[in-house]
């Protein structure tokens, strides 16, 4: 089975997301899930990201099967959680004042897919993603954080770094390289973190 890549971003996170998805190779053996703090507002994030990749990008739909080589974006006002083989959407309580939020995605992915999960926290305010990234690492997945000095809004990276002691704290260019390598893998386990 392929890797599950989960990315979280908020303020200042669009450009890092574009850089990461543009680096994903074709074919891609992983499934990619993105949460950005859009609240209940209409979101054109899939259209924006589609301009940076040849992979199909769309808002996730409830109970849809998880397929490799696709990018799923949490839709407005819905938490996106992963069950074994499927996506679950709900209007559960806001997490860190956000819905969609990163922690529900990260935690559910870790519980369902364990070592196959890569969690990435990018630029954004508040602490969303910190607890989820800790759970990903606890389940044997790979935890990556955008270097706070590079992030235009460093709150989320700083919170994740403090809570998780992530496997790596990197500039976006190096995160994109790691993600590209995982997407090209034909193995069930996430590559071991390097120095």
């Amino acid at each position: 089975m392929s890797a599950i890549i989960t990315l979280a971003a908020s303020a200042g996170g669009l450009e890092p997301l574009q850089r990461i998805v543009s680096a994903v190779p074709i074919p891609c053996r992983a499934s990619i899930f993105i949460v950005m703090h859009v609240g209940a507002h209409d979101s054109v994030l899939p259209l924006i990201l589609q301009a940076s990749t040849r992979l199909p990008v769309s808002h996730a739909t409830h109970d849809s099967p998880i397929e490799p080589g696709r990018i799923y974006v949490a839709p407005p006002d819905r938490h996106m959680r992963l069950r074994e083989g499927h996506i679950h959407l709900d209007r559960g309580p806001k997490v860190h004042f956000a819905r969609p939020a990163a922690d529900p995605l990260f935690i559910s992915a870790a519980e369902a897919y364990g070592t196959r999960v890569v969690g990435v926290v990018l630029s954004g305010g508040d602490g969303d993603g910190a607890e989820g990234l800790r759970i990903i690492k606890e389940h044997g997945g790979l935890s990556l954080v955008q270097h706070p000095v590079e992030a235009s809004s460093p709150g989320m990276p700083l919170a994740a770094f403090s809570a998780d002691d992530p496997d790596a704290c990197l500039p976006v260019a190096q995160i994109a390289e790691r993600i590209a390598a995982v997407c090209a893998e034909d193995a069930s386990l996430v590559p071991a973190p390097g120095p």
Side-chain angles (χ1 to χ4, degrees):
M1 297 295 290
S2 56
I4 300 292
I5 298 171
T6 58
L7 302 106
S10 189
L14 178 58
E15 192 265 345
L17 285 173
Q18 290 172 304
R19 291 175 65 186
I20 290 168
V21 301
S22 70
V24 174
I26 304 292
C28 170
R29 301 183 188 279
S31 303
I32 301 173
F33 301 86
I34 295 173
V35 166
M36 192 165 193
H37 293 165
V38 296
H41 305 288
D42 289 341
S43 170
V44 293
L45 183 59
L47 289 175
I48 294 171
L49 295 178
Q50 190 67 78
S52 299
T53 180
R54 290 186 291 141
L55 293 178
V57 186
S58 63
H59 279 126
T61 56
H62 182 65
D63 207 32
S64 59
I66 294 171
E67 300 176 18
R70 297 188 66 91
I71 299 174
Y72 301 93
V73 177
D77 205 31
R78 296 290 187 276
H79 290 311
M80 177 167 61
R81 305 177 204 266
L82 305 187
R83 308 288 189 249
E84 190 65 45
H86 289 82
I87 298 169
H88 178 85
L89 301 177
D90 65 71
R91 294 191 73 245
K94 292 182 178 181
V95 178
H96 293 280
F97 309 102
R99 186 177 55 232
D103 280 338
L105 171 64
F106 284 6
I107 293 169
S108 64
E111 291 174 347
Y113 294 100
T115 58
R116 291 163 53 191
V117 179
V118 179
V120 181
V121 171
L122 301 169
S123 178
D126 206 348
D128 187 29
E131 175 64 9
L133 205 63
R134 186 187 69 78
I135 298 295
I136 286 173
K137 185 173 180 179
E138 189 176 88
H139 281 74
L142 179 65
S143 59
L144 304 175
V145 175
Q146 181 181 3
H147 201 292
V149 171
E150 183 191 70
S152 62
S153 184
M156 281 171 54
L158 284 170
F161 187 78
S162 298
D164 171 52
D165 186 23
D167 294 306
C169 186
L170 302 169
V172 168
Q174 291 182 35
I175 291 175
E177 290 174 2
R178 288 283 188 97
I179 297 300
V182 171
C183 289
E185 280 290 318
D186 190 18
S188 60
L189 297 180
V190 170

